[in-house]
Short mmCIF file of all heavy atoms in Angstrom, two decimals:
data_model
loop_
_atom_site.label_atom_id
_atom_site.label_comp_id
_atom_site.label_asym_id
_atom_site.label_seq_id
_atom_site.Cartn_x
_atom_site.Cartn_y
_atom_site.Cartn_z
N MET U 6 93.34 5.47 97.74
CA MET U 6 92.07 5.90 97.23
C MET U 6 91.09 4.72 97.29
O MET U 6 91.15 3.81 96.47
CB MET U 6 92.25 6.43 95.81
CG MET U 6 93.16 7.64 95.75
SD MET U 6 93.47 8.19 94.06
CE MET U 6 94.57 9.58 94.38
N LEU U 28 97.67 11.49 100.29
CA LEU U 28 96.43 12.18 99.96
C LEU U 28 95.34 11.12 99.83
O LEU U 28 95.58 10.07 99.22
CB LEU U 28 96.57 12.95 98.64
CG LEU U 28 97.61 14.08 98.60
CD1 LEU U 28 97.78 14.58 97.18
CD2 LEU U 28 97.20 15.22 99.52
N ALA U 30 91.25 9.78 98.97
CA ALA U 30 90.02 10.00 98.21
C ALA U 30 89.03 8.91 98.56
O ALA U 30 89.40 7.74 98.69
CB ALA U 30 90.31 9.99 96.71
N ARG U 34 85.67 9.72 91.48
CA ARG U 34 85.72 11.08 90.93
C ARG U 34 86.71 11.93 91.71
O ARG U 34 87.51 12.68 91.12
CB ARG U 34 84.32 11.70 90.98
CG ARG U 34 84.24 13.10 90.39
CD ARG U 34 84.61 13.12 88.93
NE ARG U 34 83.72 12.26 88.15
CZ ARG U 34 83.91 12.00 86.86
NH1 ARG U 34 84.97 12.50 86.24
NH2 ARG U 34 83.08 11.22 86.20
N GLN U 35 86.68 11.82 93.03
CA GLN U 35 87.62 12.57 93.86
C GLN U 35 89.04 12.10 93.62
O GLN U 35 89.99 12.90 93.59
CB GLN U 35 87.25 12.41 95.34
CG GLN U 35 88.11 13.25 96.29
CD GLN U 35 87.75 13.04 97.75
OE1 GLN U 35 87.05 12.09 98.10
NE2 GLN U 35 88.25 13.91 98.61
N ALA U 36 89.21 10.78 93.43
CA ALA U 36 90.55 10.23 93.15
C ALA U 36 91.12 10.82 91.86
O ALA U 36 92.29 11.20 91.80
CB ALA U 36 90.46 8.71 93.05
N LEU U 37 90.28 10.90 90.83
CA LEU U 37 90.75 11.45 89.56
C LEU U 37 91.08 12.93 89.70
O LEU U 37 92.09 13.40 89.15
CB LEU U 37 89.69 11.24 88.49
CG LEU U 37 90.07 11.65 87.06
CD1 LEU U 37 91.34 10.96 86.60
CD2 LEU U 37 88.91 11.35 86.11
N ASP U 38 90.27 13.67 90.44
CA ASP U 38 90.54 15.10 90.64
C ASP U 38 91.88 15.31 91.35
O ASP U 38 92.67 16.19 90.97
CB ASP U 38 89.41 15.74 91.45
CG ASP U 38 88.12 15.87 90.68
OD1 ASP U 38 88.17 15.76 89.43
OD2 ASP U 38 87.06 16.06 91.30
N ILE U 39 92.14 14.50 92.38
CA ILE U 39 93.41 14.62 93.12
C ILE U 39 94.58 14.24 92.22
O ILE U 39 95.63 14.90 92.23
CB ILE U 39 93.38 13.74 94.38
CG1 ILE U 39 92.41 14.33 95.40
CG2 ILE U 39 94.77 13.62 94.99
CD1 ILE U 39 92.22 13.47 96.64
N ALA U 40 94.42 13.17 91.44
CA ALA U 40 95.50 12.75 90.55
C ALA U 40 95.84 13.84 89.55
O ALA U 40 97.02 14.06 89.23
CB ALA U 40 95.09 11.47 89.81
N GLU U 41 94.83 14.55 89.06
CA GLU U 41 95.07 15.59 88.06
C GLU U 41 95.61 16.87 88.67
O GLU U 41 96.45 17.55 88.07
CB GLU U 41 93.77 15.88 87.31
CG GLU U 41 93.32 14.72 86.42
CD GLU U 41 91.98 14.99 85.74
OE1 GLU U 41 91.28 15.92 86.17
OE2 GLU U 41 91.65 14.24 84.79
N SER U 42 95.17 17.21 89.87
CA SER U 42 95.57 18.48 90.47
C SER U 42 96.87 18.39 91.27
O SER U 42 97.64 19.35 91.32
CB SER U 42 94.46 19.02 91.38
OG SER U 42 94.25 18.16 92.49
N GLU U 43 97.15 17.23 91.87
CA GLU U 43 98.31 17.10 92.75
C GLU U 43 99.46 16.31 92.14
O GLU U 43 100.58 16.37 92.63
CB GLU U 43 97.89 16.43 94.06
CG GLU U 43 96.86 17.22 94.87
CD GLU U 43 97.41 18.56 95.33
OE1 GLU U 43 98.62 18.66 95.58
OE2 GLU U 43 96.61 19.51 95.44
N ALA U 44 99.20 15.56 91.07
CA ALA U 44 100.24 14.75 90.41
C ALA U 44 101.07 13.96 91.41
O ALA U 44 102.27 14.18 91.55
CB ALA U 44 101.14 15.65 89.56
N PRO U 45 100.46 13.03 92.15
CA PRO U 45 101.21 12.25 93.14
C PRO U 45 102.27 11.37 92.48
O PRO U 45 102.22 11.10 91.28
CB PRO U 45 100.13 11.40 93.81
CG PRO U 45 99.04 11.30 92.79
CD PRO U 45 99.05 12.60 92.06
N ILE U 48 100.12 6.00 92.97
CA ILE U 48 98.69 5.94 93.28
C ILE U 48 98.30 4.53 93.70
O ILE U 48 98.60 3.56 92.99
CB ILE U 48 97.84 6.37 92.07
CG1 ILE U 48 98.08 7.86 91.75
CG2 ILE U 48 96.35 6.13 92.34
CD1 ILE U 48 97.38 8.34 90.50
N VAL U 62 89.14 5.18 86.38
CA VAL U 62 90.07 6.20 86.87
C VAL U 62 91.46 5.97 86.29
O VAL U 62 92.12 6.89 85.82
CB VAL U 62 90.13 6.19 88.41
CG1 VAL U 62 91.21 7.14 88.92
CG2 VAL U 62 88.78 6.57 89.01
N ILE U 66 93.66 8.46 83.89
CA ILE U 66 95.00 8.93 84.29
C ILE U 66 96.02 8.61 83.21
O ILE U 66 96.89 9.42 82.89
CB ILE U 66 95.40 8.31 85.64
CG1 ILE U 66 94.53 8.87 86.77
CG2 ILE U 66 96.88 8.55 85.94
CD1 ILE U 66 94.72 8.16 88.09
N THR U 69 97.23 10.94 80.28
CA THR U 69 98.17 12.06 80.44
C THR U 69 99.36 11.74 81.34
O THR U 69 100.27 12.56 81.46
CB THR U 69 97.45 13.28 81.05
OG1 THR U 69 96.90 12.92 82.32
CG2 THR U 69 96.35 13.77 80.13
N SER U 70 99.38 10.58 81.98
CA SER U 70 100.41 10.33 82.99
C SER U 70 100.88 8.89 83.01
O SER U 70 100.11 7.96 82.77
CB SER U 70 99.85 10.69 84.37
OG SER U 70 100.74 10.32 85.40
N VAL U 72 102.35 7.84 85.88
CA VAL U 72 102.55 7.62 87.31
C VAL U 72 102.27 6.16 87.66
O VAL U 72 101.31 5.57 87.16
CB VAL U 72 101.63 8.56 88.12
CG1 VAL U 72 100.17 8.32 87.79
CG2 VAL U 72 101.87 8.40 89.61
N ARG U 184 106.15 11.42 83.29
CA ARG U 184 104.82 11.91 82.96
C ARG U 184 104.88 12.80 81.74
O ARG U 184 105.92 13.38 81.42
CB ARG U 184 104.21 12.68 84.13
CG ARG U 184 104.06 11.83 85.38
CD ARG U 184 103.34 12.64 86.45
NE ARG U 184 103.17 11.86 87.66
CZ ARG U 184 104.02 11.88 88.67
NH1 ARG U 184 105.09 12.64 88.61
NH2 ARG U 184 103.80 11.13 89.73
N VAL U 186 102.01 15.21 80.90
CA VAL U 186 101.24 16.45 81.04
C VAL U 186 101.00 16.75 82.52
O VAL U 186 100.47 15.92 83.24
CB VAL U 186 99.88 16.35 80.31
CG1 VAL U 186 99.09 17.64 80.52
CG2 VAL U 186 100.08 16.08 78.83
N VAL U 187 101.39 17.94 82.94
CA VAL U 187 101.11 18.43 84.29
C VAL U 187 100.74 19.90 84.16
O VAL U 187 101.40 20.65 83.44
CB VAL U 187 102.34 18.28 85.21
CG1 VAL U 187 102.03 18.85 86.60
CG2 VAL U 187 102.76 16.82 85.33
N THR U 191 99.46 22.98 89.04
CA THR U 191 100.06 21.93 89.86
C THR U 191 101.51 22.24 90.16
O THR U 191 101.98 22.10 91.30
CB THR U 191 99.96 20.56 89.14
OG1 THR U 191 98.59 20.23 88.97
CG2 THR U 191 100.64 19.48 89.95
#
Side-chain angles (χ1 to χ4, degrees):
M6 298 176 181
L28 298 171
R34 182 61 60 187
Q35 185 182 13
L37 185 56
D38 289 343
I39 290 175
E41 292 176 345
S42 65
E43 298 296 328
I48 295 175
V62 173
I66 291 171
T69 60
S70 173
V72 59
R184 300 185 179 94
V186 178
V187 178
T191 297

